[in-house]
Amino acid sequence: MKNKLFSKIPEDKLERYLDGSLDEQETARIDAMLDEDPALQLLVDDYVNMQMAANNEDLQAAKKHSKRLRFIRITVAAASVAVIAVGSLLFCRPDSNTPTCTPLPIYRGTDSIFDLQPDSIAQDTIDTLL
């Protein structure tokens, strides 16, 4: 099919004719050839259909590839979040070596607001003030 078509219309001219970039004189010449020869018109139609099918296959392959890339990105993001969460649970938890502040009772003079028995820290403070 292509040999018959390209023997009458060179491939580069046919491509430019189909995309509309061929000059007016050449376009008119190819239009006249197609009007005179219905078999040539059928060859051009078949060529256009084959090109469209190939472009459609390329488009479908690109869509599948895009979906795969999106799935991979989502999977990597989810795995990263999981690793960060597990790492924070394993490495950022408080252990017995972490100093903690225990609240001390508040004293005013020798009277305790929260605790009736003053501890040694409060007693030492009172002794040094006297």
Side-chain angles (χ1 to χ4, degrees):
M1 175 192 100
K2 284 186 178 183
N3 291 338
K4 288 182 184 180
L5 176 61
F6 296 142
S7 67
K8 295 186 181 194
I9 304 172
E11 185 176 6
D12 63 325
K13 279 189 181 181
L14 180 62
E15 289 294 328
R16 289 185 297 163
Y17 171 78
L18 293 172
D19 68 15
S21 63
L22 197 60
D23 64 28
E24 290 181 23
Q25 184 180 8
E26 287 293 318
T27 302
R29 193 174 76 75
I30 292 176
D31 282 338
M33 288 174 58
L34 294 174
D35 289 340
E36 292 172 5
D37 190 358
L40 183 61
Q41 179 65 50
L42 288 175
L43 288 174
V44 170
D45 291 344
D46 288 343
Y47 178 77
V48 168
N49 289 335
M50 285 180 14
Q51 295 291 42
M52 288 175 61
N55 289 341
N56 191 24
E57 288 175 10
D58 291 344
L59 182 62
Q60 293 299 326
K63 283 183 181 179
K64 285 181 183 178
H65 182 69
S66 175
K67 285 181 182 179
R68 272 189 237 127
L69 283 178
R70 195 165 109 210
F71 175 75
I72 289 170
R73 287 183 189 133
I74 290 171
T75 303
V76 168
S80 300
V81 169
V83 166
I84 290 170
V86 169
S88 67
L89 289 175
L90 291 176
F91 297 110
C92 297
R93 63 181 179 182
D95 55 5
S96 61
N97 297 332
T98 305
T100 58
C101 296
T102 56
L104 296 174
I106 298 175
Y107 292 94
R108 183 182 65 200
T110 57
D111 297 335
S112 171
I113 296 174
F114 296 109
D115 191 11
L116 295 176
Q117 300 296 323
D119 63 1
S120 62
I121 296 174
Q123 195 62 41
D124 289 343
T125 307
I126 294 170
D127 291 340
T128 56
L129 292 175
L130 297 175

